[in-house]
Amino acid sequence: IHGGPGAAMMAESWTFQRPWEDFFTVVQWDQRGAGKTFSSAKRQLDKSLSVGRIQADGEELIALLLKTYKKDKIFLMGHSFGSELGVRIAQHHPEWLYAYIGVGQLVNGQLNEAIGYKETLAEAERVGNKQAIEELKAIAPYPEADGTIPPAKTMAERKWDVALGGMIYGQSDDDELLRRSMSPLYSDYDVQSSELGEDASFNALWKEATAVDFRNTTQFKCPVFIFAGAHDRTTPTTLSKEWFSHVQAPVKKLFIIENAAHYVVNEAPGEVLVDLVENVRPLDVASRTSRIRGVGDAR
């Protein structure tokens, strides 16, 4: 599950997914209002669109996968806004998951923006970018004193977050549209749909999506793994790392990827895959072995 409201990981999966398929059956999902799904809806935003509706869609998809592939459980990975959905599903249906895997984990909407803004401004001051400093200080306070998060101010902050490497480490531009346009799964129409759907979904879901608060959601009944780029200021790693220290789960592990920011799976696909194969995938093997032993012991 990927990205901000309306973002589509399917269009970007070509940058990392093929080697993963040697170890996993990978299923990508363009959410309601996103990418190819938005294309199939004739670019009409569903009036029922909400975070809860998308969560329910995700759960319906998981139920379908379990039935289709005759599995008891799957691994669920959520990135950015997808990590909000992922935590919700992991809390609602932990019995469906070998593990929940969060990438660019969202913890609290207001703190996410406040800390990200502070860290982006600090980076602008560190490198002496006067224009960035001026424009970032111009939107203070961010969020607003009453806690609201105006989308226009978010766009102003993200402009410099991206330019200063907080979205993709060592890169001053998020070439998302270029990545999507090179996807073998996307037509030109789908690429345009992804842009239109992302804008429409952002406007429809931003307030609800940023109301998330998982600070007290720390008890999990399934294993939890978090991948965080060391330089991520979009979903600040400083925040997710602190939250993760309080998480209690049957198994848990935090992976800090040094030369990455927000797009961890795109930026360090090989490193992430090695960590998944060595630390996460064995949970499937252990589960299957346990079931076999259980049958044998029953006699």
Side-chain angles (χ1 to χ4, degrees), residues 197-218:
E198 191 162 5
D199 289 343
S201 295
F202 177 88
N203 292 330
L205 293 171
W206 180 244
K207 183 177 181 180
E208 184 184 6
T210 53
V212 63
D213 186 358
F214 291 142
R215 285 175 296 177
N216 294 322
T217 305
T218 54

Side-chain angles (χ1 to χ4, degrees), residues 207-281:
K207 183 177 181 180
E208 184 184 6
T210 53
V212 63
D213 186 358
F214 291 142
R215 285 175 296 177
N216 294 322
T217 305
T218 54
Q219 303 290 325
F220 287 81
K221 295 181 180 180
C222 65
V224 177
F225 299 89
I226 300 294
F227 286 84
H231 305 275
D232 187 356
R233 296 188 299 271
T234 308
T235 49
T237 293
T238 49
L239 179 57
S240 59
K241 184 177 179 180
E242 196 280 331
W243 170 77
F244 189 76
S245 69
H246 300 288
V247 165
Q248 296 185 23
V251 178
K252 74 170 195 174
K253 189 172 179 65
L254 172 66
F255 301 92
I256 303 293
I257 309 300
E258 290 300 327
N259 295 313
H262 189 57
Y263 282 97
V264 180
V265 294
N266 305 77
E267 296 175 85
E271 184 174 351
V272 172
L273 177 56
V274 169
D275 289 334
L276 288 172
V277 171
E278 292 184 347
N279 296 277
V280 180
R281 187 173 181 269

Side-chain angles (χ1 to χ4, degrees), residues 116-117 119-125 127-139 153-168 171-173 233-234:
Y117 169 75
E119 292 181 355
T120 299
L121 178 57
E123 180 65 9
E125 292 173 336
V127 300
N129 189 317
K130 293 182 180 179
Q131 183 183 354
I133 294 169
E134 180 179 316
E135 292 186 15
L136 286 167
K137 286 186 175 180
I139 66 171
K153 287 191 175 184
T154 302
M155 293 300 99
E157 190 279 336
R158 291 294 191 274
K159 169 186 173 181
W160 291 109
D161 173 38
V162 170
L164 296 170
M167 187 73 74
I168 301 176
Q171 187 167 313
S172 60
D173 181 37
R233 296 188 299 271
T234 308

Side-chain angles (χ1 to χ4, degrees), residues 51 55 59 83-93 212 214:
V51 174
Q55 176 187 340
E59 292 176 352
S83 73
E84 177 177 343
L85 301 173
V87 168
R88 290 175 182 272
I89 293 172
Q91 290 288 315
H92 193 213
H93 281 294
V212 63
F214 291 142

Side-chain angles (χ1 to χ4, degrees), residues 35-48:
K36 292 176 77 72
T37 300
F38 198 54
S39 287
S40 67
K42 299 181 181 179
R43 297 178 175 171
Q44 297 298 310
L45 200 63
D46 195 314
K47 293 181 180 180
S48 70

